[in-house]
């Protein structure tokens, strides 16, 4: 993997716009310790935000389609079930409703069957749902992901798809200057090494089944990259992530949005023509008080792909009226989210990310996602 030079795009101090077009070399060496480098970058961002107006507005509409809301609230349960991997509550091959004692397993539909549990650097469950004619890949999020974000390398690498490198691709990858997060890339490659044979076998057995890839937090990052790899392999996956950090650079985002038809998806959604999450699209769910989707920072060269569904209510339960369609990624959303923690971040950005309040909101996506809960009582 070729490690790319880290860059900081300049943030205009003109309150009318933000400029993100011409990156500048970092004024400090690449081998600076991660936490120190992170603190410098985050502080740089917030001093830039001081010069920005606080009156930014971005077009968004409240979600009104019950079918889409139903999909969002159902798919997160797969991520919640994946949280039970490698715990005392277990997850094992068999019907999901008896696969583990976590609430997400117990409440599962009778037709959802766990085919494989990938227990490695990137834990995931692979399932089938005969009633929905669907193959499901759900990644486990790190139970201490906010700490992981702080401690793990944000270094981007040129993106060489696993599918291309291993002669598995049936579609062309032609994104120029595409790069991705080195840690997420390594973990995704590890997952594919362990799971690709199972996935190909399932697709051969169920050629008409759709493929859903999902996950929360770290799991959302791995779902993002796995969705890209499965697209290249001809699986036509649907990607839905929750609380996912950024994975791609701007060039990679443009390619991902193109192949996952994000512009058409958003246009149909805004026109009221979408009544369930369309197959072969890329969606992500974020939360008004969750700081994790704002990292790695735009000033580090990272962006989001897909259509953003934004939960506006801090606590559970979160109804359909608490979800906004914010569309494609805007840097202003990072300003809004990070700005709500501006005081604590400026004081000590590392401690701010590790703050229990930040962690608590990071878990609240229609349910409590990041732990293997025995009952819904723990959700409140």
């Amino acid at each position: 993997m070729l490690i790319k030079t880290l860059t900081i795009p300049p943030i205009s101090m003109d309150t009318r716009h933000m400029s993100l077009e011409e990156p500048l070399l970092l004024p400090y060496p690449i081998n600076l310790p991660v936490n120190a480098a992170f603190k410098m970058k985050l502080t740089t961002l917030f001093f830039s935000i001081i010069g920005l107006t606080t009156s930014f507005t971005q077009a968004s509409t409240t979600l009104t389609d019950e079918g889409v809301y139903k999909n969002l609230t159902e798919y997160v349960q797969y991520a919640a079930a994946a949280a039970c991997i490698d715990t005392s509550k277990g997850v094992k091959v068999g019907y999901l409703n008896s696969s583990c004692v976590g609430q997400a397993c117990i409440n599962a539909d009778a037709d959802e069957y766990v085919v494989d549990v990938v227990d490695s650097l990137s834990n995931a469950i692979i399932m089938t749902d005969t009633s929905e004619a669907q193959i499901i890949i759900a990644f486990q999020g790190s139970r201490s992901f906010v700490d992981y974000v702080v401690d793990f390398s944000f270094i981007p690498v040129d993106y060489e798809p696993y599918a291309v490198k291993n002669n598995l691709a049936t579609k062309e990858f032609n994104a120029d200057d595409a790069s991705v997060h080195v840690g997420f890339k390594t973990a995704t490659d590890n997952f594919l090494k362990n799971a690709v044979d199972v996935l190909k076998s399932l697709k051969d057995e169920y050629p008409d089944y759709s493929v859903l890839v999902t996950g929360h937090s770290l799991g959302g990052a791995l779902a993002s990259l796995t969705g890209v790899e499965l697209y290249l392999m001809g699986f036509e996956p649907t990607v839905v992530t929750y609380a996912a950090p950024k994975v791609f650079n701007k060039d990679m985002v443009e390619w991902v949005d193109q192949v996952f038809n994000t512009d058409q998806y958003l246009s149909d959604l805004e026109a009221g023509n979408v009544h369930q999450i369309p197959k072969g699209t890329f969606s992500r769910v974020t939360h008004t008080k969750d700081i994790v989707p704002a990292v790695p920072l735009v000033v580090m060269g990272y962006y989001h792909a897909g259509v953003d569904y934004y939960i506006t209510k801090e606590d559970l339960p979160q109804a359909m009226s608490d979800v906004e369609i914010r569309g494609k990624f805007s840097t202003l959303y990072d300003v809004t989210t990070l700005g709500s923690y501006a005081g604590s971040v400026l004081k000590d950005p590392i401690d701010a990310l590790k703050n229990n309040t930040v962690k608590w909101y990071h878990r609240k996506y229609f349910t409590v996602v990041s732990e293997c809960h025995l009952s819904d009582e723990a959700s409140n």
Side-chain angles (χ1 to χ4, degrees):
M1 293 186 294
L2 176 62
I3 296 179
K4 299 177 75 70
T5 303
L6 285 176
T7 61
I8 292 184
I11 298 181
S12 171
M13 298 306 286
D14 186 336
T15 58
R16 295 170 297 176
H17 66 280
M18 299 174 70
S19 172
L20 294 166
E21 298 303 323
E22 299 179 4
L24 300 175
L25 292 177
L26 288 181
Y28 45 88
I30 192 74
N31 62 353
L32 193 67
V34 171
N35 280 359
F38 176 80
K39 192 167 185 175
M40 291 177 69
K41 294 166 192 166
L42 196 53
T43 303
T44 298
L45 173 66
F46 274 95
F47 278 119
S48 299
I49 289 174
I50 292 172
L52 295 171
T53 179
T54 59
S55 60
F56 283 126
T57 59
Q58 185 78 15
S60 61
T61 57
T62 300
L63 179 64
T64 58
D65 190 275
E66 293 183 0
V68 173
Y69 177 73
K70 181 173 182 286
N71 288 155
L72 295 176
T73 56
E74 286 181 347
Y75 296 165
V76 75
Q77 295 297 331
Y78 300 137
C84 296
I85 297 173
D86 195 27
T87 69
S88 60
K89 305 175 184 71
V91 172
K92 58 184 181 294
V93 172
Y95 286 102
L96 183 59
N97 58 13
S98 59
S99 177
C100 76
V101 296
Q103 196 68 20
C105 295
I106 294 171
N107 291 340
D109 292 340
D111 295 321
E112 295 170 351
Y113 188 87
V114 178
V115 176
D116 194 17
V117 179
V118 181
D119 189 357
S120 62
L121 177 64
S122 44
N123 294 346
I125 51 179
I126 301 173
M127 299 183 290
T128 58
D129 183 346
T130 54
S131 63
E132 297 294 331
Q134 194 170 56
I135 298 168
I136 302 152
I137 305 156
F139 285 93
Q140 181 184 47
S142 170
R143 287 181 291 276
S144 57
F145 178 67
V146 178
D147 295 336
Y148 175 95
V149 165
V150 173
D151 296 332
F152 209 94
S153 172
F154 288 149
I155 297 173
V157 294
D158 284 338
Y159 184 53
E160 182 182 10
Y162 180 93
V164 173
K165 186 176 181 179
N166 291 277
N167 299 313
L168 298 170
T170 62
K171 295 185 178 181
E172 182 182 4
F173 177 72
N174 55 7
D176 295 329
D177 299 319
S179 64
V180 300
H181 184 288
V182 62
F184 301 149
K185 174 72 166 67
T186 300
T188 300
D189 287 357
N190 181 271
F191 165 76
L192 292 169
K193 180 181 178 181
N194 286 281
V196 71
D197 289 342
V198 173
L199 295 173
K200 288 170 64 178
S201 177
L202 283 175
K203 195 59 178 171
D204 289 342
E205 184 176 356
Y206 305 105
D208 297 327
Y209 277 29
S210 62
V211 177
L212 170 69
V213 191
T214 190
H216 171 266
S217 190
L218 169 62
L222 304 185
S224 299
L225 272 170
T226 299
V228 169
E229 294 284 356
L230 292 181
Y231 165 82
L232 291 169
M233 295 181 202
F235 281 74
E236 304 294 343
T238 303
V239 178
V240 182
T241 69
Y242 301 83
K246 301 187 191 79
V247 180
F248 310 122
N249 76 340
K250 191 172 185 179
D251 295 287
M252 185 68 181
V253 164
E254 290 174 355
W255 182 84
V256 171
D257 281 339
Q258 177 185 346
V259 300
F260 281 90
N261 302 305
T262 297
D263 287 337
Q264 186 62 53
Y265 173 22
L266 182 58
S267 176
D268 291 342
L269 191 62
E270 291 174 338
N273 297 327
V274 175
H275 305 298
Q276 61 180 8
I277 293 177
K279 294 178 175 62
T281 58
F282 195 120
S283 305
R284 55 192 185 85
V285 184
T286 58
H287 184 292
T288 183
K289 295 291 285 186
D290 186 6
I291 199 172
V292 170
V295 297
L297 303 173
V298 169
V299 295
M300 300 177 190
Y302 288 93
Y303 296 77
H304 277 300
V307 170
D308 180 16
Y309 293 93
Y310 179 69
I311 299 173
T312 60
K313 185 182 177 185
E314 295 180 3
D315 217 330
L316 301 173
Q318 293 150 340
M320 182 168 63
S321 59
D322 299 318
V323 181
E324 290 183 355
I325 302 165
R326 294 207 303 187
K328 295 172 73 172
F329 174 68
S330 167
T331 55
L332 303 184
Y333 295 148
D334 278 4
V335 172
T336 302
T337 302
L338 291 169
S340 66
Y341 292 100
S344 59
V345 170
L346 279 173
K347 182 178 179 181
D348 193 324
I350 304 304
D351 284 349
L353 272 175
K354 292 183 176 181
N355 181 277
N356 285 333
T357 301
V358 174
K359 293 180 182 181
W360 182 240
Y361 289 124
H362 179 57
R363 307 187 314 171
K364 294 189 173 184
Y365 282 75
F366 306 115
T367 184
V368 177
V369 190
S370 60
E371 295 179 3
C372 187
H373 285 290
L374 294 177
S375 76
D376 288 333
E377 293 177 1
S379 307
N380 299 314

